[in-house]
Amino acid sequence: MSTIVVDNISKSFGTKKAVDGVSFNVEPGGVFGLLGPNGAGKTTSIRIILDIFKPDHGKVSIFGGAMTEAMKNRIGYLPEERGLYQEVTLEKCLVYLATLKGMNEKKSQERISEYLDQFNLSDYRKKKVKELSKGMQQKAQLITTLVHDPELIIIDEPFSALDPVNTQMVKDLLREQAKLGKTIVMSTHQMYQVEQLCDRIVLIDRGKTVLYGKLSEIREQFSGNEIILRTESPLPTQIPGINSINSENGNLIYKAHLAEGVSPQQILQYLLSQNIILKQFEISSPSLDEIFIQVVTKSGEHDA
Amino acid sequence: MLKAWLVLKYEYLRHVKQKRFIVALLSVPLFILVIMGISFLSVIFTIDNTPIGYVDNSQFLANPIMLDGKDKGVFDKPLKIIAYDSEQAAQTALDEEKIQAFFVLPADYLDTGKSKLVSKKIPDSNVTSDFRLFLRTNLLRNYDQKIAERVLEGPDVEIKAIEGGRERSSTNILGIALPIVAGILFMLAVNISGGYLLQAMVEEKENRTMEIIVTSISPTQLMVGKVIGNLSVGLTQIITWILFGALAVHFALQSFPSLEAGHIDTYFLVIMILTFLPAFVMVAAMMAAIGASSSEIKEAQQIASLFTIPIVIPFWFIGSIMANPNSPFSVFLSIFPFTAPVILPLRVALSSVPFWQITATILILVLIAIFSLWLAGRAFRLGLLRYGKRLSLMEIFQKAQV
């Protein structure tokens, strides 16, 4: 059973279509990436999944049914609009929010104190939330997301206010949660953050799904028309089957774009037949950023 | 409803534990104590306990009964009354300041009832009132003691209306003062609690905690917790003040027994509580709706202040309502939901109100209170994620789907 089934949801605000017929499934376990540029409809989709907004069309099923009050305790949510009660102490704020997720007060205090240690926030537990920096507040909010040990974790732009050290820490934390068998839905526009984390992704642009599936399969789908070559001596300028070739700084590393219908294998055979000594022959796998730009610009042309 | 309880507890403790709250809580009774202290001091310093004298030319006070003052309070001891043989003797005593004033009863006093007062300054009211009581007591001394008492104290008429069958004593001052005081307290409670509630609603928006909250708890539970939690803060404040007030009244009654403590009518109390509670929830829920639909505390406060106006209105007409508690205007004000919590108890205290009017008023209040809670929930759901944008009343009603 899929943890989340999003079935053809649409939502408009006034005349603007924020989400337009998006469908995807999130399977239990692992990290699912909800990707797209700013304003693509990621946050709106998450809000519909969490029953904060009702969709105009389509429906969402979560843990096999419609959202109920009891389900709220099984979900941890880090909203894009970060918010904690500013006028109370950090500890009080976290304990209150944890109890609202169905934890008893004593247990939540223990867990929060563990997390505060882990996040280097122990010194701030008696400080008012408003006295904390933005990054600290974000870490505190992450505690709120995880403290009740939810089965499903939905995080919207988790790295937005974090420095590299904290970004790495959060990534490790998410990996750890995924290892524990948690289902994680992570929304971000920073594709490079997702590559090492996500198993499956959906890419939304202007409210519509443009890519959906296993990250490795999507990569494969977009790879194969580019190869990376390293040689002993300079390559001939004309190689049959290669459209264009650039060397990086003239240091005998080449990036070659293949013509349509030509396989990397054919190029390899040709190079060997020419007695060219190869130090490296690699089918390049495009980064998500590259795929993203490729897909988004293509769909942009489509619209125009 | 466990989560509603958590919200309630959090909202309540958050305010009550603040220094600001404790200061506000104690400042009013402290203020009253200071005022009371000053007025008592001024009474003590202005009371002139110099005896008064009299010259009786009519001879009926030959062997007078003196006032014992056993029913009087600490500050209200009767003046000593001294008899003089002639006006000259009395005048000398007055000049020597042995007495502060003297009365002269002419020989034909019993026929005319006329007497003369001689004093250097305009005498305090207790000079004449004490002497009058002294005269009356002595005029009545040949009557049966019980008859004398009745004449001196005046009749205590119980009014019994045919319809209601409720009894009301005309001397029960407290019975009339209570609804007015209660009305003022109600207004205060609404203002204080409403203020807390507005703040709590807008804060949720300003802190952007809405999303976290609605993915943890249902809007209805949140609203119930917030409304009741913040009402309890207001009530804590009011009840503390009432306790201080009761203490003050107790003290005042000991000092001035002439105010006469009437008994507090349970029927009246029941009516008062039955109107206050739904009215309280009604106004609070409306304020919560405003808080949920506006984005800034200032804006919310401005709109909310409009709600207190109809609650104040009855106090403008209190005179005419007291004079005519069953006029159509009074009846209208006692049924109209915003003025009902002040006017209905007042009318109940003043006259006998038909049962159907009481039932109708309370029923309307309860219905509007429920409607207001529904409206607040709806405003909350709609206004949820609109930062910096106000929700119009029309939108709340129009949108079929949230």
Side-chain angles (χ1 to χ4, degrees):
Chain A
M1 185 191 70
S2 302
T3 307
I4 302 173
V5 179
V6 174
D7 183 13
N8 198 23
I9 53 166
S10 299
K11 175 84 181 171
S12 301
F13 296 105
T15 53
K16 194 183 173 290
K17 270 211 148 162
V19 177
D20 189 1
V22 168
S23 301
F24 58 86
N25 291 5
V26 178
E27 303 305 328
V31 183
F32 183 88
L34 177 56
L35 314 178
N38 296 324
K42 301 186 296 288
T43 299
T44 305
S45 299
I46 287 176
R47 285 176 177 169
I48 292 171
I49 291 169
L50 287 169
D51 198 38
I52 296 172
F53 288 157
K54 299 259 185 274
D56 298 340
H57 303 288
K59 66 175 212 224
V60 169
S61 128
I62 190 162
F63 297 125
M67 177 71 116
T68 62
E69 285 306 311
M71 278 178 193
K72 290 182 177 175
N73 291 353
R74 297 162 66 188
I75 302 171
Y77 175 40
L78 177 80
E80 188 189 19
E81 293 272 15
R82 312 272 195 258
L84 294 168
Y85 293 105
Q86 301 288 315
E87 295 293 332
V88 293
T89 62
L90 177 61
E91 195 174 30
K92 204 177 268 179
C93 174
L94 294 179
V95 169
Y96 173 55
L97 292 174
T99 54
L100 283 186
K101 282 287 190 187
M103 287 187 91
N104 76 48
E105 201 170 316
K106 199 158 168 269
K107 185 93 196 279
S108 70
Q109 269 163 345
E110 286 168 20
R111 289 288 286 279
I112 283 164
S113 137
E114 283 167 29
Y115 269 115
L116 286 175
D117 281 342
Q118 189 183 346
F119 283 22
N120 297 321
L121 287 172
S122 298
D123 296 344
Y124 299 90
R125 68 176 68 207
K126 296 286 173 212
K127 283 246 165 38
K128 279 193 178 174
V129 173
K130 65 176 176 189
E131 293 167 42
L132 270 58
S133 75
K134 212 176 164 194
M136 286 179 194
Q137 288 198 30
Q138 177 153 340
K139 287 198 282 182
Q141 188 123 38
L142 208 61
I143 297 177
T144 295
T145 311
L146 300 174
V147 68
H148 55 291
D149 201 21
E151 295 161 54
L152 173 62
I153 301 164
I154 298 182
I155 44 178
D156 202 350
E157 301 287 356
F159 311 112
S160 64
L162 297 180
D163 60 33
V165 176
N166 283 316
T167 300
Q168 193 53 50
M169 195 191 78
V170 170
K171 276 185 187 171
D172 293 344
L173 197 77
L174 291 178
R175 272 202 200 96
E176 199 182 290
Q177 293 288 324
K179 244 185 230 163
L180 290 171
K182 306 294 175 62
T183 308
I184 302 169
V185 176
M186 182 168 89
S187 146
T188 182
H189 68 276
Q190 295 162 302
M191 311 298 160
Y192 63 92
Q193 303 284 19
V194 176
E195 278 169 298
Q196 315 103 354
L197 278 173
C198 294
D199 319 307
R200 298 174 75 243
I201 61 154
V202 63
L203 181 62
I204 312 180
D205 184 40
R206 274 168 270 190
K208 291 193 160 90
T209 313
V210 284
L211 275 177
Y212 169 52
K214 265 194 141 165
L215 186 56
S216 53
E217 283 167 12
I218 289 172
R219 272 233 181 91
E220 219 162 276
Q221 189 189 324
F222 281 84
S223 66
N225 62 349
E226 198 172 71
I227 49 176
I228 294 166
L229 296 167
R230 197 145 66 90
T231 55
E232 289 259 277
S233 49
L235 281 174
T237 46
Q238 283 294 322
I239 299 169
I242 285 182
N243 270 353
S244 65
I245 189 159
N246 342 300
S247 89
E248 277 168 22
N249 312 327
N251 55 6
L252 304 177
I253 298 173
Y254 301 92
K255 229 179 198 177
H257 279 274
L258 308 186
E260 209 132 319
V262 178
S263 75
Q265 205 58 31
Q266 288 170 294
I267 303 294
L268 183 61
Q269 266 170 2
Y270 173 79
L271 292 176
L272 292 174
S273 70
Q274 297 298 307
N275 285 326
I276 290 168
I277 296 164
L278 288 171
K279 286 181 133 180
Q280 184 184 358
F281 182 90
E282 188 187 326
I283 301 162
S284 128
S285 168
S287 72
L288 257 183
D289 266 331
E290 287 166 321
I291 297 175
F292 173 62
I293 291 164
Q294 208 177 318
V295 171
V296 167
T297 44
K298 213 189 268 171
S299 76
E301 281 162 16
H302 235 68
D303 279 7
Chain B
M1 273 334 238
L2 186 75
K3 285 182 178 178
W5 166 246
L6 289 171
V7 176
L8 194 159
K9 204 172 74 177
Y10 173 81
E11 292 284 337
Y12 182 75
L13 291 179
R14 190 169 68 107
H15 287 298
V16 170
K17 280 187 175 172
Q18 269 182 359
K19 261 188 225 132
R20 202 168 50 192
F21 176 79
I22 295 163
V23 169
L25 193 67
L26 296 180
S27 64
V28 169
L30 227 82
F31 179 72
I32 293 170
L33 271 181
V34 168
I35 295 285
M36 265 174 36
I38 291 172
S39 51
F40 275 125
L41 282 178
S42 69
V43 167
I44 289 167
F45 284 122
T46 53
I47 281 179
D48 189 349
N49 277 323
T50 319
I52 51 172
Y54 70 93
V55 181
D56 178 21
N57 295 325
S58 69
Q59 301 302 321
F60 98 93
L61 289 169
N63 193 11
I65 307 171
M66 284 296 166
L67 299 176
D68 55 8
K70 65 174 192 287
D71 292 335
K72 296 222 164 185
V74 186
F75 300 108
D76 212 12
K77 288 270 174 268
L79 296 168
K80 206 177 160 200
I81 298 172
I82 303 165
Y84 291 92
D85 295 337
S86 64
E87 270 188 56
Q88 231 166 359
Q91 186 65 50
T92 320
L94 183 65
D95 290 339
E96 287 168 2
E97 293 185 355
K98 279 182 186 153
I99 52 172
Q100 56 170 315
F102 68 90
F103 290 86
V104 181
L105 301 183
D108 58 352
Y109 171 72
L110 283 176
D111 295 324
T112 62
K114 282 188 173 151
S115 61
K116 189 174 80 176
L117 170 64
V118 181
S119 174
K120 286 191 166 169
K121 56 178 172 61
I122 295 168
D124 294 339
S125 64
N126 62 336
V127 170
T128 43
S129 66
D130 279 8
F131 190 70
R132 257 191 212 132
L133 185 62
F134 170 71
L135 278 181
R136 283 201 197 110
T137 310
N138 283 289
L139 282 166
L140 288 164
R141 71 170 145 181
N142 293 329
Y143 289 86
D144 181 62
Q145 200 200 336
K146 280 187 179 162
I147 294 173
E149 245 172 55
R150 284 284 68 74
V151 175
L152 284 174
E153 284 175 18
D156 183 357
V157 182
E158 260 184 9
I159 298 166
K160 214 171 204 170
I162 299 160
E163 279 184 78
R166 205 174 71 78
E167 293 162 15
R168 193 172 59 78
S169 169
S170 63
T171 53
N172 189 353
I173 294 172
L174 202 64
I176 299 164
L178 197 65
I180 297 174
V181 173
I184 293 169
L185 284 174
F186 174 76
M187 211 172 68
L188 268 175
V190 161
N191 261 322
I192 295 166
S193 311
Y196 284 125
L197 197 55
L198 272 184
Q199 203 189 338
M201 291 311 302
V202 176
E203 250 176 26
E204 206 77 60
K205 272 201 164 184
E206 282 177 345
N207 288 339
R208 319 231 145 170
T209 37
M210 288 287 203
E211 280 185 272
I212 295 268
I213 292 299
V214 292
T215 51
S216 304
I217 178 172
S218 77
T220 323
Q221 287 199 29
L222 179 75
M223 276 310 199
V224 169
K226 272 194 181 282
V227 168
I228 298 176
N230 286 287
L231 285 189
S232 308
V233 177
L235 282 179
T236 305
Q237 212 154 328
I238 294 295
I239 287 168
T240 313
W241 291 348
I242 288 174
L243 288 180
F244 275 100
L247 220 70
V249 167
H250 178 73
F251 185 51
L253 285 178
Q254 279 205 327
S255 313
F256 304 104
S258 53
L259 290 176
E260 192 163 328
H263 61 287
I264 295 174
D265 192 347
T266 38
Y267 176 76
F268 165 75
L269 276 183
V270 168
I271 298 286
M272 196 177 77
I273 291 166
L274 282 180
T275 39
F276 273 26
L277 282 181
F280 213 20
V281 173
M282 169 187 81
V283 179
M286 285 186 178
M287 289 206 175
I290 290 169
S293 55
S294 38
S295 54
E296 273 175 63
I297 184 82
K298 242 188 220 162
E299 185 191 271
Q301 275 166 344
Q302 279 164 0
I303 306 172
S305 63
L306 293 177
F307 278 103
T308 49
I309 294 173
I311 301 170
V312 184
I313 285 174
F315 289 96
W316 299 340
F317 301 110
I318 219 150
S320 80
I321 288 157
M322 282 176 75
N324 247 328
N326 286 316
S327 71
F329 181 63
S330 305
V331 172
F332 168 75
L333 284 186
S334 80
I335 293 178
F336 183 64
F338 282 102
T339 47
V342 176
I343 299 301
L344 187 70
L346 185 67
R347 282 187 62 218
V348 167
L350 288 171
S351 77
S352 105
V353 179
F355 186 66
W356 73 265
Q357 287 180 9
I358 295 173
T359 321
T361 306
I362 293 172
L363 201 70
I364 291 172
L365 275 175
V366 169
L367 287 178
I368 294 192
I370 293 169
F371 171 75
S372 307
L373 276 172
W374 172 83
L375 199 72
R378 212 171 158 70
F380 176 80
R381 194 77 161 93
L382 278 168
L384 195 57
L385 299 168
R386 295 213 196 173
Y387 302 114
K389 214 169 136 197
R390 202 175 65 223
L391 193 68
S392 78
L393 197 64
M394 289 308 285
E395 276 179 291
I396 300 175
F397 286 109
Q398 276 170 356
K399 289 228 172 134
Q401 204 184 20
V402 183

